[in-house]
Structure formats: C-alpha cells, structure tokens
Amino acid sequence: MVASEFKSAITVLVVAAILFVVAPAVIETYTLTVLIIYGMLALSLGLIWGFGGILCFGQAAFFGLGAYTYAIAAINIGESTVPFLLGIAVPFAFASVLGAMLFYGRLSDVYLGVITLVVTLIFFKFMNSTAGPEYVIGTARLGGFNGIPGFQTLNVPGDPGAYIYDVDYYWFCVVAILIVYALVRWLLASPFGRIAVAIRENESRAELMGYDVRIRKTVLFAVGGAIAGLAGTLFANWAEIVTPGMFSLAQSAEIIIWCIVGGLGTLIGPVIGAMALAYLKFLLGQQDVVDNMMILGLILTLSVLFLPRGIVPSIGLAISRAMPKRRRRRRHRRPRRVAEEVEALNG
C-alpha cells in the first residue's frame, strides 16, 4: 500500500471510529448495530461489483447461509466460537465453488446475475419448506418459515455463560467492520487487487497480458461471500433468530440499491448507502402512510438520474472541482498583494 493510500485508509478509519463513538448519543446502540451489519453486507457486494465488475444478484444467499450455519452449529455445539468461524468459512467455500463454476464456465454477466439470483431463490424456497420434524441437522430443526430461534448467541471464547450483548456487542460489530474495511483496502492495494481492477476495466486485455482472469474473479467472489457470511453471522446474533426472509428477493434487491445509491467504485460508499437507507427504512416503518419500497424505489430513481455516480463519488467529485478554484483564487490574490505592498513602500 503506497503512502497516499495508507494515509487515506487511516483517515477513513479514524473518522469512522470517531463517528461510531459519537453515534450512540443520537441513536440507540441496538439500531446502530444492525446498521453496521447492513453496512458490512453492502461492503461485500461493493467489493465484488465495484472493484471486480461482478454483478451478483444473490449476495443475500451468502448472508443467509452464514446466519443459518451459525445458528445450526451453535445449537449443536452450545458455544459460539466455532459456529462464528463456520459462519464465515461455509459461505466462503460455497462462494468459491459457485464462482469457479460461473467463471471457468465463462458465463456472461447476464447469466451470472440470473444464476446467482436463482441460487438465492432456491435457498429461500427450500428453507420455507423445512417445517417438518424430518428436517433436522444434529439437534437443530430448520423450522421452515418460522426459522430457527433459541440458539447460543455470541459469548467470550471458552465461556458459554459470558454473553457479548447490548453495548458490548455494538462495539464488537464496530471493531469487526473496521477490521474488514482495513483488510479489504489492503487487498485492493496489493498486486492482486490492482489486477482485479484491471480485469474490471478490460478483461480481454488483462487476459492477453497473461493474467488468469478466472481464478482472480473466483477468489474475489469468495472473499465477498465470506464478508457477507460474516454479516449474516452478526445479524443472527443481533436478531437471535434466523428466518428464510434473509434469502428473499427483497433482501437481494435492497443490497443492490444500497450500493448504487452510496456509490460503486468506493468502499465507503456502499456502507454509507446501506446505513442511511436502512435507517430511513426504520423511520418509515413507524408510519403506515407511505410504503417503504416505494420510497426506496423513488430514492434509487432520483439517484440514478441526478447522482449517477452515487452519493460518495459525487461529493468527492464536487470537492475535487472546488479545490482548484480556491488555488487559482489564491494565486490571483498574491500578485495583487505584492503590488499593493510595493505601492505602499514607494508611497
């Protein structure tokens, strides 16, 4: 990571940490926790779509898979450490296999999007149909549309009775998203990340230069799946229940909307878009006058029309355009000041 990128990453982390410290004075930590989780989920898609050029309509599949993996493992093990790791590892492994099938099969972007969406809907339909007593993994019943409640939530490793909840869990999620952001920035600043961006810009040229496009896209896809799985694991501990709704089409659509509104091609954009829109949805949920999805659709439409780059890139572009003007004004002012000083000396 070059000096400028390192400085930029540190600045973002410091500013984010300060905001997370101040935020509980305005919004309760219970709500902030789920906003952070949604921000991490959006970050997973922002990575593979914004920097890898891989439009995945099924990011909710890895989100739900991580949550269900954690819940099932926690019921069977009775402690959260191993289930927490499995909630990341299983979506990573599943995304690796699915990505290898997609990219080594050389499917176009359209078919890739359709297949990932179909995979999510398959999970959704299957989990909804597992209400019978025969759908059991170990001692954990899948529960069908009722989901899986009553599993062991996050605890201090090795001590199932020492739960991490409420404010402590909020800070755990804060540390988690800051670490994930730092690791993703490091990955993108590495040679692997730079090649991934080159593949996004011109896949054929990158392949002609000798780079194995398929393996790099598969790895990036798997990393995005792991981050989404981590978000699902954190969500399961926050909600203390997992349901098939985590695989729903609405959930998949919301993740895409978060990334578009926040701004693709950045890491902080999808996070801000997810947290802002999720909080807006939370506020709108307290009234029955306007439908939530209608408001989200309107925001998406206005964003595409007036802020096609997204909120964060548009703000950055406006600042970059304003900076040269200030510098020019300062340059014009200096000769005038010098002339005035010379006249004053001569006078």
Side-chain angles (χ1 to χ4, degrees), residues 52 194-203 206 212-213 216-217:
R194 296 185 184 279
I195 295 170
V197 174
I199 293 171
R200 177 199 66 185
E201 295 298 325
N202 195 319
E203 183 173 334
D212 190 341
V213 171
R216 284 174 170 80
K217 293 179 77 172

Side-chain angles (χ1 to χ4, degrees), residues 186-239:
W186 170 81
L187 178 66
L188 293 175
S190 68
F192 173 86
R194 296 185 184 279
I195 295 170
V197 174
I199 293 171
R200 177 199 66 185
E201 295 298 325
N202 195 319
E203 183 173 334
S204 299
R205 182 176 295 179
E207 200 164 14
L208 289 173
M209 293 176 66
Y211 296 114
D212 190 341
V213 171
R214 294 168 295 182
I215 186 62
R216 284 174 170 80
K217 293 179 77 172
T218 300
V219 171
L220 195 67
F221 190 73
V223 171
I227 297 173
L230 172 59
T233 300
L234 295 174
F235 184 86
N237 282 277
W238 173 81

Side-chain angles (χ1 to χ4, degrees), residues 59-70 91 127 228-229 232 242-243 246-247:
Q59 204 68 10
F62 311 122
F63 179 64
L65 185 59
Y68 267 87
T69 299
Y70 175 85
M127 289 303 177
V242 295
T243 63
M246 299 183 70
F247 298 104

Side-chain angles (χ1 to χ4, degrees), residues 124-314:
F124 178 68
K125 291 293 184 182
F126 174 75
M127 289 303 177
N128 266 307
S129 62
T130 57
E134 65 275 13
Y135 294 101
V136 180
I137 300 178
T139 57
R141 290 186 57 178
L142 298 183
F145 54 85
N146 290 320
I148 306 177
F151 47 83
Q152 172 77 18
T153 56
L154 196 66
N155 58 260
V156 176
D159 188 0
Y163 293 100
I164 301 175
Y165 65 99
D166 199 18
V167 178
D168 292 334
Y169 189 64
Y170 166 73
W171 289 114
F172 181 88
C173 292
V174 168
V175 172
I177 194 171
L178 293 179
I179 291 175
V180 168
Y181 175 82
L183 291 176
V184 170
R185 282 294 296 261
W186 170 81
L187 178 66
L188 293 175
S190 68
F192 173 86
R194 296 185 184 279
I195 295 170
V197 174
I199 293 171
R200 177 199 66 185
E201 295 298 325
N202 195 319
E203 183 173 334
S204 299
R205 182 176 295 179
E207 200 164 14
L208 289 173
M209 293 176 66
Y211 296 114
D212 190 341
V213 171
R214 294 168 295 182
I215 186 62
R216 284 174 170 80
K217 293 179 77 172
T218 300
V219 171
L220 195 67
F221 190 73
V223 171
I227 297 173
L230 172 59
T233 300
L234 295 174
F235 184 86
N237 282 277
W238 173 81
E240 299 184 8
I241 185 174
V242 295
T243 63
M246 299 183 70
F247 298 104
S248 67
L249 181 61
Q251 182 69 74
S252 298
E254 281 190 38
I255 303 171
I256 295 175
I257 293 173
W258 294 339
C259 291
I260 293 175
V261 173
L264 288 171
T266 66
L267 291 178
I268 196 65
V271 175
I272 293 176
M275 296 181 71
L277 292 181
Y279 186 62
L280 176 62
K281 183 180 178 181
F282 168 75
L283 295 177
L284 292 173
Q286 300 176 7
Q287 51 83 39
D288 300 325
V289 179
V290 184
D291 183 67
N292 291 347
M293 294 306 296
M294 183 183 298
I295 296 297
L296 291 178
L298 179 62
I299 292 174
L300 175 62
T301 303
L302 294 176
S303 176
V304 171
L305 290 176
F306 299 103
L307 297 173
R309 296 172 178 264
I311 295 174
V312 173
S314 298

